[in-house]
Amino acid sequence: DVSSDEWTARCRLLEAFGATAHRLSNLQASVEGNKAELAAIVDAAHFIRDGEDELMGNLIGRYRFRLQRGERWSIVGVTLSVAGYPAGRAAFDRVFALARTRFAQGASA
């Protein structure tokens, strides 16, 4: 579980990738008054170049977003439960380490 502020900060890392694809399916929503939850299966692919190589790190899992309504609906928290890494955990870790380095340097992929 992470707060919406932490989630937003983590999502900024996506700027370092050449491309990403986040496919959501099996959406389920529940609303109780001014609170709601949205759950979905996510298949997320992240692409980045390393020299001549195009690397991919992907994961499949489940998102759970917690929302609160004020003047508008806002995300107040997110949970990502990872089911697996189709290209392997090592490939995922390598791609994200490279993205973190590039993001810290202020360069996009």
Side-chain angles (χ1 to χ4, degrees), residues 58-92:
N58 63 325
L59 68 80
I60 295 175
R62 186 161 187 84
Y63 280 139
R64 183 172 60 97
F65 295 94
R66 290 173 309 288
L67 299 104
Q68 177 75 43
R69 181 171 36 197
E71 290 183 25
R72 61 184 183 158
W73 285 101
S74 298
I75 298 171
V76 295
V78 180
T79 301
L80 171 60
S81 301
V82 177
Y85 303 89
R89 178 68 189 257
F92 184 87

Side-chain angles (χ1 to χ4, degrees), residues 89-107:
R89 178 68 189 257
F92 184 87
D93 290 344
R94 178 178 176 204
V95 163
F96 268 80
L98 182 55
R100 280 196 235 15
T101 298
R102 289 196 182 156
F103 185 77
Q105 294 169 345

Side-chain angles (χ1 to χ4, degrees), residues 36-65:
E37 279 199 13
L38 173 65
I41 293 173
V42 60
D43 182 350
H46 308 83
F47 302 91
I48 195 167
R49 293 195 74 66
D50 187 15
E52 294 296 315
D53 295 328
E54 178 79 28
L55 306 177
M56 180 184 74
N58 63 325
L59 68 80
I60 295 175
R62 186 161 187 84
Y63 280 139
R64 183 172 60 97
F65 295 94

